[in-house]
Amino acid sequence: MNVARNHGNPPWRPCWQVASLAGLALAVHASAQAGTISHSVEPGDNLYNLAARYMGNPHAWPDIQKLNHISNPHRLKPGTSLLIPKVSSTVTASFVHGEAWLVDDAGNTIKRIAHGDQLNEGDIVRTGQHSYLSLEFADHSVARILSNTHVRLDRIKESGLVPQGQRVIYLEQGNMDVSVTPAPKCNSQHFKVITPQAVAAVRGTRFSVGVGSVSATSVTQGKVEMQPPQPGKSRSGKMLQAGQGIAASGNGLGEVQPLLAAPDLSQLPSMLPEPELLQFDWPAVNGGSEYQYRIAQDEGMEQVLWNAASYSASATLPSLQDGEYLLAVRALDSYGIPGYEAQHRFIIHSHPSSPWLLSPQQGQPIDGNGILRCTPVEGAQGYHLQIATDDEFRELVVDSGPLDRCQYQLASLAEGDYYWRVASVNAEEEGRLGPYSQPASLTVSQDAHTLPIIAGEAYWTSTLQDARYIAQISRSPRFDTLVAEQELDSPRINIQSLPAGRYYVRLATRLENDTGPFSDARIIEVEHEDNGMDRTWFDKPRS
């Protein structure tokens, strides 16, 4: 039996003129055709309340009377079964990123939710780590389900009998952001979010609700009426205006709090060249105990690609594909109430990828007439190399390019300590450079020719500590088949033991269980015979 949950709220009352008998008959016929549900009559039931509970409109009780051929609507016999027209609607999964599942009452997965799926009244939804799901209703109200959240679509009433609609979502765990399309003033509670500790009822606004050990609600637009789950004379509600929030626990609603100010993101970089990870740091907000952040590409921050939380005023996440993005950050106060949100626009520029460095190896001096060598990059038109006396490359001593090959012949460079870096020239946009590699130290010494040559490794300079990478190597630039795939714990790969030939190697940075996008392929030529030496992981066949 499908029993709707009332949560102690009075029946919904419409603010529209009752339809004509002919129009009402058509609506009844349409509802019956759409399906019915069965209700077992209990003591105290009446058609008015049943119509309010199941159909969202107490004045639709004649529909139930007609469908069940009830001669006396004032006398319902307990234990008998009634058919009630099913008035419900679906909600659309308008955006899905990461893992979102439809689950049963026990939490077992029924199916993975995909973009465009229609969810029904009573469905239970769970999202995974760093995942995001937007649910759009018929009136374009949107419920944004953040990561690690568990919700149930308690009630979705949208039909000709319920012109303003009713939407009730039960938030068991996690966080939601909701934008509600305004409804007529007389329908003040057409959207509700219910938590174990409180009920947030709105007519048209934007607000956030989170559930952990307590539930916290904040309002940035409009207003929200807050009620305890079972309101009574001693447990009155409170009205939140824009700029206010409240926390609720088993002891009831707390005091209304002003929202924290938006974080200051003005000093964050706007251009990120070839970032291994995305790392942002901002000044702590006074009174902030935690920060929630999300990243999207659209102006409205609807299509969120990453959302997470941090106890420090910082965010670290895997890099993303090249493009323009928006970072949004808000602070939570000691009650867990989200404050105002700040946004920052930034651009990721990673392609064409910078070459890796081959020679000289790190720590190996080079003669003032020696040759700097680096790996070619698949798709690059040429290369641009710089040498400077400082690691910010303000004092250049060499600025050469475009180079046809990824190497450079020094010309009597004076002894001393330098830095060098290389960029690829974009083949599709003539003359446009990709990002430079991170500066690598370079020592020029007249005695360098007497030192043994360190060979067999390609390397790159990383700004990260304890960085981890996934390296893939293939004979094909399409990577349709792999020679090997391996996790690296330092910014270098061994190439000496590869059999002779050309190899394509691409790299992605790991962060815990998440991986960023793969780089362009670097090309490694190995020019020696396979002499039976013990092979590295690169040339061992994949199992």
Side-chain angles (χ1 to χ4, degrees):
M1 179 177 69
N2 184 4
V3 180
R5 299 168 176 82
N6 194 9
H7 297 282
N9 296 302
W12 176 83
R13 286 174 170 75
C15 57
W16 47 284
Q17 192 68 30
V18 178
S20 65
L21 290 178
L24 186 59
L26 288 174
V28 171
H29 177 72
S31 296
Q33 291 296 317
T36 59
I37 54 179
S38 178
H39 173 82
S40 180
V41 176
E42 299 176 357
D45 279 351
N46 60 63
L47 296 185
Y48 185 91
N49 289 337
L50 292 177
R53 180 191 301 178
Y54 289 107
M55 303 175 69
N57 176 12
H59 296 287
W61 66 265
D63 301 0
I64 304 176
Q65 180 186 19
K66 182 176 181 179
L67 184 63
N68 292 276
H69 308 290
I70 298 173
S71 57
N72 186 349
H74 302 289
R75 292 184 178 179
L76 300 180
K77 184 178 179 181
T80 58
S81 293
L82 296 179
L83 293 178
I84 300 176
K86 185 176 182 181
V87 178
S88 64
S89 184
T90 59
V91 59
T92 302
S94 57
F95 180 77
V96 184
H97 180 76
E99 299 174 331
W101 301 280
L102 196 64
V103 301
D104 61 21
D105 289 331
N108 300 312
T109 300
I110 297 174
K111 61 166 288 189
R112 189 159 183 165
I113 299 172
H115 174 264
D117 280 357
Q118 302 294 306
L119 305 184
N120 300 294
E121 182 177 280
D123 282 348
I124 302 173
V125 174
R126 186 179 74 241
T127 57
Q129 181 81 353
H130 306 311
S131 301
Y132 194 90
L133 170 66
S134 290
L135 300 179
E136 185 170 350
F137 295 81
D139 69 342
H140 303 300
S141 295
V142 178
R144 303 166 189 86
I145 316 300
L146 278 63
S147 61
N148 300 319
T149 296
H150 195 161
V151 302
R152 181 178 64 237
L153 304 180
D154 258 13
R155 181 178 295 188
I156 308 174
K157 303 296 185 189
E158 298 177 299
S159 74
L161 295 176
V162 194
Q164 281 79 44
Q166 287 186 38
R167 298 103 185 176
V168 179
I169 297 179
Y170 184 79
L171 174 60
E172 180 177 328
Q173 172 187 314
N175 296 276
M176 290 176 56
D177 283 339
V178 183
S179 295
V180 179
T181 301
K185 291 183 178 179
C186 53
N187 186 18
S188 60
Q189 295 185 352
H190 85 299
F191 201 114
K192 295 181 181 179
V193 176
I194 300 172
T195 73
Q197 297 90 6
V199 178
V202 303
R203 181 175 59 84
T205 187
R206 179 146 191 172
F207 67 107
S208 299
V209 182
V211 174
S213 57
V214 299
S215 66
T217 301
S218 67
V219 183
T220 55
Q221 296 176 19
K223 55 187 178 181
V224 173
E225 181 182 350
M226 298 299 300
Q227 294 282 350
Q230 299 295 331
K233 292 183 179 179
S234 61
R235 307 184 74 183
S236 59
K238 297 182 179 181
M239 182 67 73
L240 297 181
Q241 306 292 335
Q244 295 180 330
I246 198 169
S249 66
N251 297 323
L253 298 176
E255 295 299 320
V256 175
Q257 305 290 332
L259 300 187
L260 293 180
D264 179 10
L265 308 182
S266 61
Q267 299 305 308
L268 295 182
S270 58
M271 176 67 72
L272 301 177
E274 201 170 25
E276 293 185 306
L277 295 175
L278 300 183
Q279 296 180 305
F280 303 99
D281 296 277
W282 55 87
V285 174
N286 186 28
S289 61
E290 188 178 358
Y291 299 86
Q292 293 178 341
Y293 58 92
R294 55 195 176 122
I295 291 178
Q297 282 191 288
D298 62 304
E299 289 286 342
M301 295 292 296
E302 297 291 347
Q303 299 182 2
V304 172
L305 305 177
W306 188 272
N307 72 102
S310 170
Y311 288 109
S312 62
S314 63
T316 301
L317 61 149
S319 187
L320 300 168
Q321 297 289 353
D322 279 13
E324 189 171 331
Y325 297 89
L326 281 172
L327 167 70
V329 183
R330 62 187 180 186
L332 278 62
D333 65 15
S334 59
Y335 301 101
I337 300 171
Y340 281 106
E341 187 176 75
Q343 294 185 2
H344 172 73
R345 188 180 303 277
F346 65 95
I347 296 173
I348 296 177
H349 176 210
S350 296
H351 299 280
S353 299
S354 62
W356 289 335
L357 310 181
L358 291 173
S359 174
Q361 287 285 315
Q362 288 175 310
Q364 180 187 40
I366 189 172
D367 182 84
N369 293 301
I371 299 176
L372 304 179
R373 293 185 174 90
C374 48
T375 61
V377 175
E378 175 69 10
Q381 188 180 51
Y383 306 93
H384 198 105
L385 183 143
Q386 291 182 334
I387 301 175
T389 56
D390 65 302
D391 61 3
E392 294 184 356
F393 286 78
R394 293 175 179 172
E395 301 295 332
L396 292 177
V397 295
V398 173
D399 186 18
S400 182
L403 305 172
D404 292 335
R405 302 175 63 188
C406 200
Q407 67 179 49
Y408 179 77
Q409 172 77 58
L410 298 178
S412 301
L413 185 61
E415 285 190 310
D417 293 326
Y418 302 89
Y419 298 89
W420 68 300
R421 64 183 185 179
V422 192
S424 300
V425 179
N426 196 322
E428 297 179 357
E429 301 177 38
E430 187 172 353
R432 177 178 176 268
L433 295 181
Y436 279 99
S437 57
Q438 289 293 322
S441 60
L442 176 68
T443 299
V444 176
S445 171
Q446 63 180 1
D447 299 323
H449 64 278
T450 63
L451 298 176
I453 296 175
I454 303 173
E457 287 188 339
Y459 70 97
W460 58 98
T461 303
S462 174
T463 59
L464 304 176
Q465 292 184 347
D466 302 322
R468 293 163 55 218
Y469 308 93
I470 293 294
Q472 291 184 342
I473 186 166
S474 176
R475 294 279 194 174
S476 165
R478 297 183 300 275
F479 287 83
D480 41 13
T481 59
L482 298 181
V483 173
E485 182 180 77
Q486 180 80 3
E487 184 167 318
L488 306 176
D489 58 8
S490 63
R492 61 178 59 244
I493 60 172
N494 188 302
I495 63 173
Q496 175 133 18
S497 299
L498 285 173
R502 169 172 287 193
Y503 293 88
Y504 299 86
V505 184
R506 63 184 183 183
L507 199 73
T509 307
R510 293 291 305 271
L511 180 64
E512 297 177 351
N513 295 323
D514 298 295
T515 304
F518 277 102
S519 66
D520 294 324
R522 280 84 171 190
I523 302 171
I524 299 177
E525 299 280 357
V526 178
E527 300 177 351
H528 65 75
E529 297 295 331
D530 185 355
N531 58 9
M533 70 176 64
D534 186 28
R535 295 181 175 185
T536 66
W537 58 266
F538 277 110
D539 57 325
K540 292 177 181 176
R542 300 183 76 209
S543 57

